[in-house]
Amino acid sequence: MPARKVAIVGAGAVGASAAYALALSGTCHEILLYDIVPEMAIGKAIDIAQSTNYSPRGTVVRAAIKPEDLENCDVVVITAGVPRNKKMTRADLLYINADIVKEVAEHIKNYSPNAVILCVSNPLDVMTYVVHRITGWDRNRIIGMGGALDSLRMAYQIHEKIGFGAAQTRAMVIGEHGENMIPYPEITNVGGVPLSQIVSKEDMEEIAAKTKDGGAQIVRYLKTSAFYAPGRAISVMVESILSDEEKVIPSCAMLNGEYGYTDVAVGVPCVIGAGGIKKIIELDLDEVTEIKFAKAVESIKENIVILKDGGFFD
């Protein structure tokens, strides 16, 4: 296996879970954990490294202490950012996380100029757009993770409803990674059988509603955001890039005329392989879904305008 190097910027619960999933799979040769708190990155790197003795292939896991340590990575995952608290406005959160992501993107641009960037920081679609603007790289090399996680949550809700086909469910979620996400049960299948031939329309509507509430449901129990499912979604995307698997994964991508939109990053089905996004698949949306998609795009663009009007990209 060629030496393949992955850096994860942000050693919190999501970043560490992604590193752990990757280490167990043996997909890459080296994993770097980088965090604004070096001790967190060091401690978690040691813990994860000690788990790899039972992995199928040896994986080196270590902490990156300074930005220069992020050199020559094949993939860099950005999970860094802060959650919104009650005192923050939407603009406050946008600016705080955009500043963090901007700094990280500049480090990646300097030290890993050939990398594929996987953006996980929230608000995900806007932060993916920020990475595009700061790096100026080809759009195929910058991907947002959102739909990969949302489709896992939808698959879970389907299994909760029907009770079979857990490993055979292929769910589709597009649009914004947030309140304007669009679970798409009409084109979801279980073992190749359309979901519409397994459950009623009412059941599909319930599955879609519970999918949209998936993250909030976990917060209600844990009092914090999810991390295992996001970590696994990240690892699957990284594995598809490094192994050139050309998997169809709902992902946040920069549109350039697809679906009738430009200059916006939004969730759509993508073929993920070596080099990042190999193809954006344009679905033939029905009228209702087309309206929902337009609303998602508008929501993302509103946040982008906040940054533009504030001079963030000047």
Side-chain angles (χ1 to χ4, degrees), residues 155 158 166-172 187-191:
I158 291 168
Q168 294 181 294
T169 302
R170 299 295 174 261
M172 179 59 64
I187 61 170
T188 293
N189 73 80
V190 180

Side-chain angles (χ1 to χ4, degrees), residues 11 22 30 35 72 95 125 127 186 243 249-250 289 293 308:
L22 282 168
E30 185 174 4
D35 198 273
N72 300 324
Y95 278 114
D125 306 279
M127 293 304 107
E186 291 83 1
S243 300
I249 302 175
T289 306
F293 193 79
K308 286 182 175 179

Side-chain angles (χ1 to χ4, degrees), residues 1 6 24 28 32 51 112 118 127 133 175 209 224 239 258:
M1 182 179 72
V6 175
L24 292 187
C28 43
L32 298 177
S51 76
S112 286
L118 181 58
M127 293 304 107
R133 287 292 300 270
T224 186
E239 290 161 10
E258 295 87 1

Side-chain angles (χ1 to χ4, degrees), residues 1 4 23-28 52-60 243:
M1 182 179 72
R4 294 182 288 192
L24 292 187
S25 71
T27 301
C28 43
T52 62
N53 186 251
Y54 292 116
S55 298
R57 287 189 289 266
T59 302
V60 177
S243 300

